[in-house]
Amino acid sequence: MQEGQETYLWWQTGVVYQIYPRSFQDSNSDGVGDLRGIIQRLDYLKWLGIDAVWLSPIYPSPMADYGYDISDYRGIHPLFGTEADFDELLREVHSRGMKLILDLVPNHTSDQHPWFLESRSSRDNPKRNWYIWCDPLPDGSVPNNWLSVFGGPAWEWDESTQQYYYHAFLKEQPDLNWRNPEVQQAMLDVMRFWLDKGVDGFRVDVMWHMIKDEQFRDNPVNPDYQAHMATYEQLLPVYSTDQPEVHDIVRQMRNVLDGYNERMMIGEIYLPIQKLVTYYGIDGKGAHLPFNFQLLSLPWDARQIASAIDQYEGALPPNGWPNWVLGNHDQPRITSRVGMQQARVAAMLLLTLRGTPTIYYGDEICMRDVPIPFEEVQDPQGLNMPDKNLSRDPARTPMQWDDSPNAGFTDAKPWLRLAANYSRENVAVQRNNDLSMLSLYRRLIDLRRNEPALQVGTYTPVYSDMNLVAFKREAEGHDSFLIVLNLSHRPGYFRPQHFPFSGTVEMATYPESEGVSVSDALNLSGDEGLIIRLH
């Protein structure tokens, strides 16, 4: 798309949709979603207006962390299908004019990966230095105080070679040594393997973890730690994550992508804005989209969110393209965090802010976190810290397609239980209801696609207070839009000084407001969001 003299690429103008493959659609009656199931549902994604599909990992894996522990970077787990199924999925996605983004997990492998089996076989094995091995301290204890994200120390003792290996996550997920050029080469070759197949890009898992402090210094204590938090947060991971040398690795990955036409890289990075934006790289040669998780991590508070949007816009490097995320497979669902009415406002925010939006499957039909009984918990984070209610299973439950048994997801017992209300809240019901969340998402995506101001236009903050966030989107030679969102349940009053305006309400969370002419002042109901086409 062109706006003025600039040409925008698909990952700038498009909407990304994350599929958690286990939970999207089962095609072979084993209770687990698979690639053929995804193929069956592509027409739905096309109808919704999705431009790019991002798949969580589908590679061979012992499934200690549900696919984020990879034992073969170049294959497909039989649970999800075959390599032929993958090739067909890629063709079918492309035939609908959509793109396919794969999850790449370069920080760690499975402990069953051939590389690690070699590495741990002896101290003088050629692949020993492919992972991070350390001697115990003189008293026999762990090399330092680093903690695992999933609970406990991040060091595992290997009896046969009498050293510890480092794992930022499960002990079944040993971290690769990215300071080793052989590791770098092997992983860049993995990228080329999938790019040669025609994959359009990667979402890179825990990008900020990939390099660790060379001296293995102890992490400092977190003075703000509280008992309800994950044990990992007892320390500040200043030496185990976000090391300066990681940017050299990201640049190498970018160089690989730049050898292909219009491929892209998203980085998973949970860091403050000032650190996050450094992952765009020097001269913009880092990640195309360092994931911006502020709408996931901030309290749902108008002032904080308005401030964060402006801080982010102000911190972006020249030509750094913004992006926004409301939900993913690691976080509670947006509807469970803010409620059903505010989830509509959140959808309007996501799809009118400047930059690329990512939608998590099911959020478009208001899916909520499903309570999973303790004896059914599958997620290692939940199993390892059972008293903290940190399981990620509730946000990973099967997609609710219709009111048939198991919501049309499977005709077997689903791998995780479904929401009790799936017969009322599903795609089939909402598709035929103009007032549904699904209809709202589809209309928002359609409006965004057809209005250059919303798709690639500039962002200007207009106003915020305890209830409201308001901003303007404009593109030269096209209609401009004023977006006013009430992030509270109470009425909000928009009477900005020095900002006279008149226009027509193009879209609203409440349909009664649509088509109404407005000027200079607005009285908003609680949970109301307005998109106003300015005259």
Side-chain angles (χ1 to χ4, degrees), residues 328-397:
N328 66 30
H329 62 289
D330 288 329
Q331 305 292 335
R333 283 189 177 275
I334 180 68
T335 306
S336 289
R337 286 189 287 121
V338 305
M340 283 181 112
Q341 294 306 314
Q342 275 299 311
R344 296 174 70 87
V345 178
M348 194 167 273
L349 179 64
L350 176 73
L351 289 159
T352 56
L353 280 170
R354 189 173 84 93
T356 305
T358 296
I359 297 168
Y360 183 51
Y361 86 95
D363 281 356
E364 77 274 19
I365 56 168
C366 243
M367 277 176 65
R368 291 167 59 171
D369 290 353
V370 177
I372 306 296
F374 281 126
E375 63 274 13
E376 294 176 25
V377 170
Q378 317 248 6
D379 175 33
Q381 180 168 292
L383 293 170
N384 291 356
M385 294 177 269
D387 51 338
K388 291 181 183 274
N389 191 14
L390 291 173
S391 170
R392 297 167 296 176
D393 291 339
R396 297 175 172 184
T397 56

Side-chain angles (χ1 to χ4, degrees), residues 280-291:
Y280 283 100
I282 306 292
D283 302 329
K285 291 294 185 189
H288 296 88
L289 299 176
F291 254 155

Side-chain angles (χ1 to χ4, degrees), residues 273 292-299 305 308-309 311-312 324-325:
I273 291 173
N292 165 20
F293 293 129
Q294 293 181 95
L295 299 182
L296 273 175
S297 50
L298 284 172
I305 286 175
I309 296 166
Q311 287 180 52
Y312 177 63
W324 295 93
V325 185

Side-chain angles (χ1 to χ4, degrees), residues 406-419:
N406 298 321
F409 163 71
T410 182
D411 51 20
K413 184 177 187 239
W415 79 283
L416 277 179
R417 61 171 55 199
L418 284 134

Side-chain angles (χ1 to χ4, degrees), residues 146-161:
W146 296 357
L147 296 173
S148 160
V149 174
F150 291 153
W155 295 97
E156 182 70 10
W157 178 247
D158 182 63
E159 188 61 41
S160 63
T161 61

Side-chain angles (χ1 to χ4, degrees), residues 103-130:
D103 227 306
L104 183 71
V105 187
N107 177 69
H108 46 265
T109 69
S110 164
D111 63 351
Q112 301 304 304
H113 195 293
W115 298 344
F116 188 68
L117 295 177
E118 277 194 58
S119 184
R120 81 186 304 176
S121 65
S122 76
R123 285 200 185 197
D124 53 10
N125 184 280
K127 286 201 169 55
R128 183 66 170 184
N129 195 36
W130 280 44

Side-chain angles (χ1 to χ4, degrees), residues 437-451:
M437 181 66 120
L438 181 58
S439 295
L440 179 70
Y441 261 93
R442 186 167 183 246
R443 291 180 62 209
L444 283 166
I445 291 169
D446 188 56
L447 182 65
R448 188 180 181 280
R449 168 175 284 125
N450 290 307
E451 296 293 344

